[in-house]
Amino acid sequence: MIRINSTSGRRWIRILMYLSFLVVVAYLAYQLPYCHDDWKWGLPARLRLMKRWFRNYNGRYLGNITILLLTRSVAAKVFIPTLWMIWLLKEIDRGLSEKNCSENKNSLFLLLLGIFLLTSLPQSLFQQTYGWFSGFANYVPPAILFLAWFNWTESIYTEGMVRESRWKLLALPLGVATQLFCEHVTLFAVVYALWMVIYTKAKSGKVYLLHLLYLSGTVLGAVLMFSNTAYRADSGKISGYKSISASLTVMVSQLRETVIDFLFINNWLLNSVLAITLIWLLIRRGKRSLADTAIAIIVCGYAFYSVWHSVCPEWVFFSNQAVNDSIELLMTLAFFVSVLLCIWRNVDPRHRLSICILLLCSAAAAAPLMAVSPTGARCYYFCYVMQCMALLKLIQYLLQEKSLSLWYPALVAAVAVTVLGAVYIRIYMANGVTDRYRQEQIEAAVESGAEEVVLPIMPYPSWRYMTEPVNDSWLKNFKEFYGIPEDMTVVFQ
């Protein structure tokens, strides 16, 4: 008989969790209808783009190829997102494993909590990543690839040393691959790779081939991406709709109006769990200094405000929007600094640097987005994953300090994940059935030569980025993608 509190029992439960997660993600990917930018990937136009290696389009080469595969093959539509998500789960599990501990009694609870955080992200972020193949292909993979690199080299932060690896040559292609999905992660990865070389040299007195290979890979990937003529075809424009500005005024305005919302304020659940964890940390330390009291007030106040903001988004401090944005910016800066200070002051040196670096990576990756307009929630998936990883590591540190029974917390997390999975299955199943019915109606109308085709509206549109064309341009893309004649009228009702 396998006992849950035994090492073998936890191993089998983890295997069962991975299998269940794989099945659920594969089913959801199969049911997910195409939408928005996916419609632009009609076969003739996109193959012409690929033949000229996406010249004047963008430098997201691996992202573009992934989208082509997702929109051409049902098998690719199922297995590519599934494999990426399983890899993400594996990297989270690997990052939380204690390399010097034979038994990881807390790993099952932390893995369940990680799944819960990854599936309960803000709705706008959900619909632009998990609910949209084009968003998924460009923004989810680089977060996983970078996390793989962070886990690989984290020992320099936790142990002050670099672990030698016979697989070090893989650092070069890993660096290149990370760079070919989205621009802001590309810029960040180069800076982080350079930081690793400098920090390791200062810490250990030598430069390692592993870090040099990764740095070379990130530089090579960045050059490959930004050599695409799309980034210099029209000064300050990308793909015809995104503008770039190095103006300090524009960047501060973008930070106040957009970046802080997607980066911190909208993450109300993550902020709440983080605030509870930090209060737990302060209680464990038994400190009641003025600084710690101020930190507790700030993190709890900000967490409450982010919850309130999600419930009443129309509420403002003042009618002047600029003043309101400035107040939110100051609150966010105070929150972020307080979180870093709380961790640095109360977590032991072996763990605090790694946790703080993850939080700083989240902010640093969002920094280039201050110069880009417009940006969507999808651009901040990388940041959300880094914040989740930092939170999980902080909880892991607290659990290590004292032996606690996590049977009921793990049970609660398992129930929450199961309920979320059931909800998503229902949502995606309903949308998937409607999407297949749409395709049947389209095929019937085309075969009969009808002048008009009536298509149903998706039952759960808020879980996808765009469910119906909003203008003539998108309607043209929609018709091309589904093979609808240009002169046929399309009605959604």
Side-chain angles (χ1 to χ4, degrees):
M1 180 177 179
I2 296 175
R3 295 185 303 160
I4 291 180
N5 63 344
S6 68
T7 303
S8 61
R10 287 191 297 273
R11 185 183 299 115
W12 280 107
I13 292 176
R14 184 179 285 103
I15 292 173
L16 181 61
M17 284 173 54
Y18 273 106
L19 291 175
S20 301
F21 191 73
L22 185 150
V23 171
V24 171
V25 174
Y27 178 78
L28 296 180
Y30 171 72
Q31 295 286 5
L32 182 63
Y34 296 111
C35 63
H36 195 51
D37 269 9
D38 303 329
W39 298 332
K40 292 199 304 183
W41 293 85
L43 184 59
R46 294 315 114 184
L47 288 182
R48 286 196 299 270
L49 257 181
M50 189 172 66
K51 285 180 180 179
R52 67 171 191 256
W53 200 230
F54 305 103
R55 188 173 67 252
N56 293 331
Y57 187 65
N58 61 46
R60 301 175 177 182
Y61 300 111
L62 291 182
N64 292 338
I65 292 172
T66 301
I67 299 170
L68 273 172
L69 292 173
L70 290 172
T71 53
R72 301 277 84 78
S73 166
V74 175
K77 173 185 175 182
V78 172
F79 288 110
I80 290 178
T82 302
L83 293 176
W84 277 115
M85 292 308 296
I86 289 294
W87 189 0
L88 175 56
L89 198 59
K90 183 62 179 177
E91 288 302 329
I92 290 176
D93 198 14
R94 187 161 73 98
L96 296 172
S97 65
E98 281 296 302
K99 300 175 180 64
N100 297 324
C101 182
S102 60
E103 280 193 273
N104 298 311
K105 296 181 179 181
N106 305 323
S107 59
L108 181 60
F109 166 69
L110 291 169
L111 185 58
L112 283 166
L113 181 58
I115 296 175
F116 176 73
L117 291 174
L118 287 175
T119 53
S120 59
L121 65 176
Q123 189 175 31
S124 59
L125 182 55
F126 187 103
Q127 67 176 197
Q128 292 189 25
T129 51
Y130 302 153
W132 178 28
F133 283 123
S134 294
F136 184 98
N138 284 318
Y139 296 98
V140 174
I144 302 169
L145 294 172
F146 177 79
L147 192 57
W149 171 249
F150 185 89
N151 290 337
W152 192 356
T153 57
E154 187 187 12
S155 59
I156 190 63
Y157 301 130
T158 59
E159 302 171 26
M161 59 173 286
V162 176
R163 293 178 179 271
E164 293 292 344
S165 173
R166 64 178 182 272
W167 304 103
K168 63 171 67 75
L169 292 179
L170 292 178
L172 181 64
L174 178 63
V176 174
T178 305
Q179 304 299 75
L180 303 179
F181 290 95
C182 55
E183 295 79 7
H184 65 289
V185 174
T186 298
L187 296 173
F188 162 76
V190 173
V191 175
Y192 183 83
L194 182 61
W195 150 261
M196 283 295 293
V197 172
I198 296 172
Y199 179 79
T200 305
K201 171 64 175 176
K203 188 73 175 179
S204 63
K206 60 183 293 189
V207 175
Y208 289 83
L209 177 61
L210 174 68
H211 296 145
L212 289 177
L213 286 171
Y214 186 75
L215 175 61
S216 301
T218 57
V219 172
L220 179 60
V223 171
L224 181 59
M225 168 177 271
F226 292 112
S227 63
N228 192 294
T229 52
Y231 301 100
R232 59 179 183 273
D234 183 12
S235 59
K237 292 284 186 180
I238 299 178
S239 300
Y241 76 99
K242 284 189 176 182
S243 61
I244 302 176
S245 175
S247 167
L248 181 61
T249 302
V250 173
M251 292 174 69
V252 172
S253 176
Q254 182 76 351
L255 176 64
R256 290 187 310 173
E257 297 173 6
T258 305
V259 174
I260 62 169
D261 283 338
F262 290 131
L263 184 58
F264 288 114
I265 295 178
N266 290 351
N267 302 338
W268 63 270
L269 181 60
L270 186 64
N271 293 339
S272 300
V273 178
L274 178 59
I276 293 171
T277 305
L278 292 175
I279 296 300
W280 180 15
L281 176 63
L282 291 173
I283 293 173
R284 278 289 186 89
R285 285 288 174 261
K287 295 182 177 181
R288 296 182 181 178
S289 66
L290 180 62
D292 290 315
T293 302
I295 286 173
I297 292 173
I298 291 171
V299 296
C300 290
Y302 191 85
F304 177 81
Y305 177 75
S306 63
V307 173
W308 178 259
H309 184 271
S310 69
V311 175
C312 302
E314 71 283 354
W315 186 89
V316 293
F317 291 98
F318 296 97
S319 56
N320 188 316
Q321 189 60 42
V323 174
N324 190 71
D325 291 339
S326 298
I327 293 174
E328 289 186 337
L329 175 58
L330 292 175
M331 290 172 56
T332 301
L333 291 175
F335 169 75
F336 187 64
V337 172
S338 297
V339 170
L340 291 174
L341 283 175
C342 186
I343 294 171
W344 194 262
R345 285 163 54 89
N346 297 285
V347 176
D348 70 55
R350 184 174 179 271
H351 297 87
R352 68 187 182 191
L353 183 57
S354 176
I355 299 172
C356 288
I357 288 293
L358 281 168
L359 291 172
L360 290 170
C361 285
S362 174
L369 297 173
M370 293 190 297
V372 180
S373 180
T375 60
R378 59 194 178 276
C379 300
Y380 299 84
Y381 184 84
F382 179 97
C383 308
Y384 184 86
V385 171
M386 296 305 115
Q387 292 178 42
C388 286
M389 198 66 201
L391 173 59
L392 292 171
K393 283 182 174 293
L394 180 58
I395 295 174
Q396 180 189 41
Y397 166 76
L398 285 168
L399 292 175
Q400 287 174 348
E401 287 198 325
K402 188 175 181 180
S403 179
L404 295 172
S405 173
L406 295 177
W407 165 253
Y408 285 109
L411 181 62
V412 171
V415 171
V417 169
T418 302
V419 171
L420 273 177
V423 170
Y424 292 148
I425 286 174
R426 169 57 187 156
I427 290 172
Y428 279 53
M429 182 171 61
N431 282 342
V433 169
T434 303
D435 183 62
R436 287 189 290 277
Y437 178 72
R438 279 184 175 184
Q439 295 180 45
E440 293 172 0
Q441 293 297 100
I442 290 171
E443 291 173 2
V446 172
E447 289 179 2
S448 64
E451 297 182 355
E452 178 182 277
V453 58
V454 179
L455 303 178
I457 295 174
M458 289 290 168
Y460 295 100
S462 59
W463 296 95
R464 293 177 61 210
Y465 190 32
M466 183 187 292
T467 57
E468 289 81 33
V470 294
N471 53 42
D472 291 340
S473 176
W474 283 112
L475 181 60
K476 181 180 179 181
N477 292 334
F478 182 87
K479 286 183 175 181
E480 180 181 6
F481 185 84
Y482 285 104
I484 302 174
E486 292 185 9
D487 58 348
M488 182 180 291
T489 302
V490 179
V491 178
F492 293 91
Q493 65 179 26

